[in-house]
């Protein structure tokens, strides 16, 4: 007796579920803002800034605006021409992009400047030209001190302001190929600092032969011994096996950002020969003691902060290992590369 109603409900439930789903879908469709097919149109040509200028094919032209829920994009043909039709009335911005070229906004006087809006009414057709500038290029090679190429190492080209610490305006990251070469392209006009970012693990670390380590240490000992002989009273020579680490290395081959060479690029400019060695960097330990009216010295929090010039966004304390204070307030920072630092202590009562 009870089996029939249950079986009947089983037959009815899918229908009820289907009706509920259809009702929910109808609500969703009513909630979506309808965008009527417009009658306006924007067409034009994308040009290079060469003399004479040339049409640029395969550039991606994108139009956006409040009247469009989603931006629309088209690709220029072999004559650099494009057409975007069926647009509603409204205000629009048009942007062109292509690899190795700088992003161009319609109406901008030069790269990096805001563009001009285009106002369309129903049925209006606008014809425009967009000029694209080729991006700057910085190229070079990374090698070990013995001349072996370094593959798989990230290389940063950072556009920096004229203040210190530097403020990074634009950063492009590329990786060296199997010959150790890199080519950072599509760069905006500006002043750049180039940094190699060797890593602790992976191809970049393994790419340095073990024999290079001894050669590097021997060279460091030789140079420091010569300096000590010429100027008594300086630091004692490095021990037979001085600790070393990886750290960002800036062109022309220094771990100190303050000594980095700045490279100025104009629109479309190329700077080749930005080549330098990536070396291990000798490190030291900083040890000290905390004193003061803190109930538990071991509860103090310490931070080692780069105090000298540095490139924002690039770790200047790569691999530093802190040793927290003990009950006597003794602390240390190990694996510290050359640089200027500040130690900040925060006590907790």
């Amino acid at each position: 007796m009870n089996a029939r109603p249950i079986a009947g409900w089983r037959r009815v439930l899918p229908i009820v579920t289907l009706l509920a789903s259809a009702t929910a879908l109808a609500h969703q469709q009513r909630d979506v803002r309808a965008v009527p097919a417009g009658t306006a149109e924007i067409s034009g040509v994308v040009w290079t800034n060469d003399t004479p200028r040339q049409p640029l094919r395969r550039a991606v032209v994108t139009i956006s605006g409040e009247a469009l829920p989603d931006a629309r994009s088209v690709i220029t043909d072999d004559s650099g021409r494009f057409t975007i039709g069926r647009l509603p009335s409204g205000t629009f911005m048009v942007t062109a992009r292509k690899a190795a070229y700088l992003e161009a906004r319609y109406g901008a006087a030069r790269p990096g400047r805001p563009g001009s809006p285009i106002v369309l009414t129903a049925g209006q057709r606008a014809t425009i030209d967009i000029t694209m500038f080729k991006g700057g290029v910085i190229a070079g090679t990374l090698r070990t001190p013995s001349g072996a190429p370094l593959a798989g190492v990230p290389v940063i080209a950072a556009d920096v302001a004229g203040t210190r610490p530097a403020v990074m305006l634009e950063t492009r990251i590329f990786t060296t190929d199997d010959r150790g070469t890199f080519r950072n392209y599509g760069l905006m006009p500006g002043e750049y600092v180039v940094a190699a970012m060797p890593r602790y693990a992976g191809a970049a670390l393994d790419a340095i032969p073990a024999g290079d380590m001894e050669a590097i240490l021997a060279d460091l000992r030789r140079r420091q011994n010569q300096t000590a002989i010429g100027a008594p009273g300086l630091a004692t020579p490095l021990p037979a096996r001085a600790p070393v680490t990886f750290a960002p290395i800036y062109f022309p081959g220094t771990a100190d950002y303050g000594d980095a060479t700045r490279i100025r690029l104009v629109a479309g400019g190329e700077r080749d020969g930005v080549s330098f060695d990536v070396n291990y960097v000798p490190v030291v330990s900083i040890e000290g003691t905390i004193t003061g009216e803190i109930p538990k010295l071991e509860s103090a929090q310490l931070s080692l902060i780069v105090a000298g010039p540095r490139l924002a966004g690039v770790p200047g304390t790569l691999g530093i290992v802190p040793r927290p204070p003990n009950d006597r307030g003794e602390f240390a920072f190990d694996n510290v590369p050359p640089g200027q630092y500040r130690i900040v202590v925060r006590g907790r009562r």
Side-chain angles (χ1 to χ4, degrees):
M1 295 280 305
N2 294 332
R4 286 186 180 179
I6 294 174
W9 278 109
R10 285 179 178 171
R11 287 194 296 271
V12 172
L13 276 174
I15 300 174
V16 174
T17 303
L18 180 60
L19 291 173
S21 299
T23 303
L25 181 59
H27 282 298
Q28 290 176 0
Q29 289 176 343
R30 284 197 297 268
D31 290 340
V32 174
R33 182 162 58 99
V35 180
T39 56
E41 178 182 283
I42 295 178
S43 61
V45 181
V46 177
W47 302 93
T48 68
N49 72 317
D50 300 324
T51 304
R53 66 179 186 173
Q54 300 294 325
L56 190 60
R57 66 175 186 169
R58 304 296 181 265
V60 178
V61 180
T62 302
I63 183 171
S64 59
E66 292 184 0
L68 292 176
D70 299 304
R72 296 185 192 174
S73 297
V74 295
I75 299 176
T76 59
D77 62 17
D78 290 345
S79 299
R81 298 185 178 279
F82 67 91
T83 299
I84 304 176
R86 304 184 64 186
L87 295 171
S89 302
T91 301
F92 303 95
M93 300 296 294
V94 182
T95 304
R97 297 179 179 87
K98 183 177 173 65
Y101 285 81
L102 303 176
E103 178 181 285
R105 298 179 177 91
Y106 166 71
R110 57 181 182 271
R113 293 291 184 177
S116 302
I118 300 175
V119 180
L120 294 177
T121 58
Q124 182 178 359
R125 296 188 176 185
T127 302
I128 63 174
D129 286 339
I130 301 176
T131 300
M132 298 196 72
F133 290 76
K134 213 163 191 180
V137 176
I138 297 177
T141 304
L142 299 185
R143 297 186 181 277
T144 68
S146 65
L150 274 173
V153 177
V155 179
I156 293 176
D159 187 0
V160 295
T163 58
R164 293 190 176 187
V167 178
M168 191 181 298
L169 301 180
E170 181 192 5
T171 301
R172 300 293 301 276
I173 303 177
F174 289 77
T175 303
T176 57
D177 61 18
D178 57 352
R179 299 171 299 171
T181 62
F182 64 90
R183 182 177 175 83
N184 290 27
Y185 59 86
L187 300 175
M188 292 283 290
E191 191 173 66
Y192 286 83
V193 167
V194 175
M197 301 295 295
R199 297 169 295 208
Y200 286 95
L205 177 58
D206 298 336
I208 297 183
D212 280 355
M213 182 67 169
E214 294 301 325
I216 292 166
L217 294 177
D219 182 61
L220 288 172
R221 288 193 296 272
R222 178 183 58 78
R223 284 185 291 170
Q224 192 163 5
N225 285 334
Q226 290 176 349
T227 304
I229 293 173
L234 295 181
T236 56
L238 289 171
R241 292 188 177 275
V244 294
T245 188
F246 278 119
I249 303 296
Y250 301 94
F251 176 73
T254 175
D256 188 346
Y257 171 74
D259 293 334
T261 297
R262 299 195 174 197
I263 300 169
R264 183 171 292 279
L265 283 181
V266 297
E270 294 197 18
R271 174 69 183 273
D272 295 319
V274 182
S275 303
F276 53 102
D277 292 346
V278 175
N279 206 337
Y280 290 94
V281 175
V283 295
V284 299
S285 292
I286 299 175
E287 300 177 351
T289 303
I290 301 172
T291 60
E293 298 179 0
I294 302 176
K296 291 185 177 181
L297 293 173
E298 63 270 24
S299 68
Q301 295 180 331
L302 284 85
S303 301
L304 187 67
I305 301 173
V306 177
R310 70 184 185 91
L311 187 63
V314 174
T317 57
L318 189 65
I320 290 179
V321 179
R323 279 188 276 159
N326 56 24
D327 56 0
R328 296 186 299 277
E330 298 169 341
F331 69 90
F333 290 94
D334 297 321
N335 212 39
V336 181
Q340 301 175 34
Y341 299 93
R342 220 166 14 98
I343 298 178
V344 177
V345 183
R346 295 180 177 87
R348 294 185 294 183
R349 294 185 178 275

